[in-house]
Amino acid sequence: MRRFPPSAMTSLLDESPRYDLAESTCGDLTVAELVDVGRLAKFPLGYGTSAGDEELRALLGTRLGVAADEVLVTAGAGAALFLVGLVADGEVVVVQPGYPPMLGLARGLAERVRTVRLRFETGYRLDVAALRAALTPRTRLVMLATPQNPAGVAFTRDEIDAVLSATAEVCPEAMVLVDETYREAAYSEIESFAAVSPRVLTCGSFSKAHGAPGLRIGWLTARDPEWYEELRRAKFTSAVSCGTLDEFLALELLRRADDVLAGKRARMRAGLAEVAAWVPRQDGRVTWLRPDAGAFCCLRVESGAPEFYNRLTAAGVAVSPGDWFGDDPAVFRLGFAHEPVERLREALELMSQALIRVAGE
């Protein structure tokens, strides 16, 4: 039996805190914001295609810089990661901290998993030397995210090129999977890495930047024809196709994506401004990293992290502790755009009180 590790992150789905600063989304869209609901009454609920709706793939390809037949529609980015894990055969290297299911899938599916740890104190910059040291001739997949979760740090083209160079030297058969789920939730334009090399796979979804996690629609890009076909077969074998209604709504969303994203970015900037003003008022009790993208950032409690989390829980404020992501427990992810800005201010005030009490003041 394959065994997948437990994840405390399931609490994001299964619990309802008073103030949810643990979530990484930026307000949920409604169906009515995408389409006249009356159009759905006679929508046929038949099978889709194994690769996904052709127009949806074409529009995604245009945004990502690849051809439609290099895009595979998946049931969210999580399913994309799962399919890649199924197809990869050999050792896997995972850059941490990161989206917990990425490491969980690797540990459940791979022959052997090595991790490369990035750190708060170095701004979560990609440590290419450490990554190269983790590679072996049996490595078949390197998994990383940019913009990174939980800090929203974006890697540079030079850093990705260095990863490709290292894999070409040590494990030339290996693919590099770049999770770009937060790419369009950026504060300045971030280019996709989908077209950089045939050895690069990318994935993303409409869950985070676009505010539509309930659609369960994501995508994979694969420029290598053999990999694309294996991934398509894996999808068909495990799921046949994605939901046609989900794909239809995703297409409607993509047609107006620029307007949707502009609204989401305005909400993120408002939340980010609140956090940027709040941190200096804490008299050094917390430090933070300003994100390049995402509706969240990373902060570090300078002392008493366990008591701090206990006090937040008692106050009804949820954050995402660093150990969820394979990080230092004193680091936590704070989501600043899931709650309306007025409620964010209230939650930040409760957080200030918790910090003061932990410090014994």
Side-chain angles (χ1 to χ4, degrees):
M1 177 188 293
R2 294 191 185 277
R3 297 188 181 277
F4 296 91
S7 174
M9 185 171 265
T10 57
S11 65
L12 294 181
L13 299 179
D14 301 335
E15 298 178 9
S16 299
R18 181 182 174 200
Y19 297 96
D20 191 353
L21 305 191
E23 189 49 86
S24 59
T25 57
C26 183
D28 296 336
L29 291 173
T30 66
V31 173
E33 291 177 272
L34 301 180
V35 64
D36 178 355
V37 177
R39 291 177 60 190
L40 304 180
K42 296 184 179 180
F43 188 87
L45 297 177
Y47 283 113
T49 63
S50 62
D53 180 83
E54 184 175 359
E55 186 176 0
L56 179 59
R57 290 188 291 114
L59 288 179
L60 284 168
T62 297
R63 297 181 78 89
L64 298 167
V66 298
D69 60 4
E70 295 172 331
V71 178
L72 182 70
V73 180
T74 63
L81 296 173
F82 192 84
L83 292 174
V84 173
L86 283 174
V87 171
D89 183 20
E91 296 179 356
V92 176
V93 173
V94 182
V95 176
Q96 291 283 284
Y99 178 55
M102 179 183 283
L103 180 59
L105 284 169
R107 286 177 169 164
L109 297 173
E111 169 188 309
R112 182 174 181 179
V113 179
R114 292 182 170 86
T115 59
V116 176
R117 173 82 179 275
L118 310 183
R119 299 183 182 280
F120 181 95
E121 50 268 28
T122 56
Y124 296 110
R125 296 315 317 169
L126 187 58
D127 188 337
V128 178
L131 188 145
R132 193 185 194 287
L135 301 174
T136 77
R138 287 197 56 78
T139 302
R140 292 295 179 268
L141 181 65
V142 175
M143 305 175 81
L144 57 88
T146 179
Q148 175 254 19
N149 178 14
V153 172
F155 300 143
T156 66
R157 172 65 183 270
D158 286 346
E159 288 171 315
I160 298 300
D161 284 344
V163 173
L164 288 169
S165 177
T167 55
E169 292 175 15
V170 179
C171 44
E173 296 180 49
M175 301 294 282
V176 178
L177 173 67
V178 181
D179 181 346
E180 297 184 330
T181 296
Y182 295 98
R183 181 181 69 85
E184 292 194 292
Y187 298 99
S188 60
E189 186 173 354
I190 296 176
E191 186 179 358
S192 172
F193 292 114
V196 165
S197 167
R199 292 195 298 114
V200 169
L201 308 167
T202 70
C203 69
S205 79
F206 293 105
S207 297
K208 306 300 183 180
H210 302 80
L215 285 184
R216 306 315 307 142
I217 291 291
W219 58 86
L220 273 168
T221 67
R223 296 184 59 207
D224 182 289
E226 183 177 357
W227 263 85
Y228 184 92
E229 180 59 14
E230 287 300 318
L231 290 165
R232 186 194 65 79
R233 291 177 184 176
K235 176 192 168 183
F236 174 77
T237 302
S238 60
V240 182
S241 67
C242 292
T244 51
L245 182 55
D246 286 350
E247 289 189 342
F248 167 74
L249 291 172
L251 180 58
E252 293 297 316
L253 170 53
L254 197 55
R255 285 172 175 155
R256 48 179 60 81
D258 290 341
D259 289 339
V260 169
L261 290 169
K264 297 299 181 185
R265 286 172 185 149
R267 180 166 173 157
M268 288 192 302
R269 287 191 179 98
L272 180 60
E274 292 291 331
V275 176
W278 175 82
V279 171
R281 299 199 298 267
Q282 307 316 303
D283 297 328
R285 300 183 191 95
V286 292
T287 53
W288 79 309
L289 293 174
R290 179 180 287 270
D292 298 313
F296 51 82
C297 61
C298 268
L299 298 94
R300 183 173 60 190
V301 183
E302 295 307 310
S303 64
E307 183 183 352
F308 171 69
Y309 293 135
N310 288 337
R311 289 188 178 276
L312 285 189
T313 299
V317 179
V319 297
S320 300
D323 51 11
W324 285 13
F325 306 92
D327 204 352
D328 185 336
V331 174
F332 65 96
R333 187 184 74 183
L334 186 150
F336 49 70
H338 181 72
E339 296 278 10
V341 69
E342 297 80 7
R343 288 179 55 77
L344 172 63
R345 291 190 190 115
E346 294 172 8
L348 290 174
E349 175 57 30
L350 291 171
M351 195 174 294
S352 295
Q353 295 173 19
L355 288 168
I356 290 170
R357 288 168 183 161
V358 167
E361 299 174 22

